[in-house]
Amino acid sequence: MHGKLIALCLLMVFAPSLWAEEVWLTLPGKQQVVADYQAGPPEAPALLILHGFLVTGAFPTIQTLANEFSAKGYTVLTPTLSLGITGRRAGLACDAIHTHSLAQDLAEISLWVDWLASHGKGPIYLIGHSFGGVQLLAYAASSPHPRVRGLVGMSLSYTGAEGEEIRTDELARAEAMRGAGDGSLGRYNLMYCHGNYTSNPESYLSYATLDRSRVLELLGRNRIPTIAIMGGEDRRYGADWVEAMRALNVSTRVIPGASHFFDGSHEFDLLDMFDSALTDLRAGS
């Protein structure tokens, strides 16, 4: 009996998403999008946690946070951006055909935030990992829902980071094609897709132009309290990236030794720092 109880407790700790509700919404073009939803009390703060580039809401970093903070009494929504695919539940390869755009992603984020606001009364906090944090930042810098009270970007990303080149000749080619009304597919460098991101010019440019200077510009005009949590051993960005964000008065917190994914023992450091970040955001609401 004691062994069964331990097994049940472990199941509840490591897989509470088994009790998540699957939510489906329909976009104006009739395409369907999906998220996992773990409801807290009606007055509970709500977290919208967004995955990074080309992955899904089932990504381990996302699920770790969702499960932990659902257990703490938060309402948690983990959408998967459709990227043009109805009910997408699997990651996309770099060489898949990518015709989705940042504008479509932001429309989906807005739809999910509105849905979350309609299913509770508490404040809403936006949480994004890697490029997901940038997409949430772009949403927050435009016309966010009035119940959104803060944003946490983990491993806050940008295009063209170290080892993830954005080539000026590819940008120029895509811009020329877009100007000429040419929507042909081509292969590009984008994030970790090295020369095999298959896309049309409009879609490619919508992401490729979210470079370091553009992300800093978004941070500078964002009026929602924002906290960045970075790994001290994240080699994707220059050593001065943390300083550049701090220069804009962005509260930027570093976990020594952690990677881009906060894996291994640093998962617990991430949970502690994330809890502290939410406490600070809630205190300032």
Side-chain angles (χ1 to χ4, degrees):
M1 180 65 181
H2 182 64
K4 291 182 178 179
L5 180 58
I6 291 175
L8 178 59
C9 290
L10 288 173
L11 181 64
M12 292 176 68
V13 169
F14 291 105
S17 58
L18 290 174
W19 286 272
E21 174 188 353
E22 202 172 66
V23 178
W24 291 79
L25 300 180
T26 302
L27 299 172
K30 306 304 181 184
Q31 182 178 324
Q32 291 190 306
V33 290
V34 62
D36 289 329
Y37 177 61
Q38 299 179 62
E43 305 288 344
L47 310 181
L48 185 150
I49 310 180
L50 188 63
H51 58 81
F53 189 65
L54 302 186
V55 297
T56 72
F59 193 76
T61 307
I62 302 303
Q63 283 300 302
T64 294
L65 290 171
N67 295 343
E68 174 77 7
F69 286 88
S70 172
K72 287 179 178 288
Y74 287 82
T75 289
V76 179
L77 183 74
T78 54
T80 291
L81 294 176
S82 72
L83 305 185
I85 298 173
T86 288
R88 186 176 75 91
R89 280 294 198 181
L92 284 186
C94 291
D95 58 1
I97 294 177
H98 300 276
T99 58
H100 50 88
S101 69
L102 177 65
Q104 293 168 335
D105 298 341
L106 297 185
E108 290 183 27
I109 290 168
S110 181
L111 185 69
W112 284 119
V113 173
D114 290 347
W115 184 90
L116 195 53
S118 71
H119 285 73
K121 300 177 181 179
I124 296 171
Y125 299 95
L126 307 177
I127 317 299
H129 178 248
S130 192
F131 198 65
V134 177
Q135 291 168 305
L136 292 176
L137 182 62
Y139 164 79
S142 56
S143 300
H145 193 282
R147 291 250 302 281
V148 173
R149 294 288 187 269
L151 188 157
V152 180
M154 303 171 293
S155 302
L156 194 61
S157 176
Y158 58 85
T159 60
E162 188 173 339
E164 298 178 348
E165 178 186 23
I166 293 292
R167 292 178 46 174
T168 55
D169 61 323
E170 292 180 349
L171 283 172
R173 171 166 56 90
E175 288 168 351
M177 290 174 65
R178 181 173 64 179
D182 183 352
S184 301
L185 294 175
R187 288 180 177 267
Y188 301 93
N189 285 273
L190 184 64
M191 303 295 281
Y192 53 76
C193 299
H194 299 292
N196 63 342
Y197 185 81
T198 307
S199 183
N200 59 52
E202 186 68 38
S203 172
Y204 161 72
L205 287 169
S206 74
Y207 298 111
T209 52
L210 282 167
D211 59 8
R212 176 185 167 116
S213 62
R214 175 83 186 285
V215 173
L216 288 175
E217 184 266 327
L218 288 172
L219 284 167
R221 65 184 173 90
N222 174 36
R223 294 296 174 261
I224 292 175
T226 298
I227 295 174
I229 299 177
M230 308 297 292
E233 294 300 316
D234 189 343
R235 300 304 184 189
R236 296 188 174 203
Y237 312 108
D240 63 342
W241 178 233
V242 167
E243 287 71 23
M245 289 191 287
R246 285 175 175 166
L248 294 172
N249 295 318
V250 176
S251 176
T252 306
R253 308 174 185 192
V254 178
I255 298 176
S259 71
H260 190 75
F261 302 104
F262 306 99
D263 46 8
S265 62
H266 297 294
E267 176 181 297
F268 301 102
D269 298 325
L270 174 63
L271 292 175
D272 288 343
M273 188 168 283
F274 186 81
D275 195 15
S276 174
L278 282 180
T279 298
D280 291 347
L281 288 174
R282 293 179 65 182
S285 294

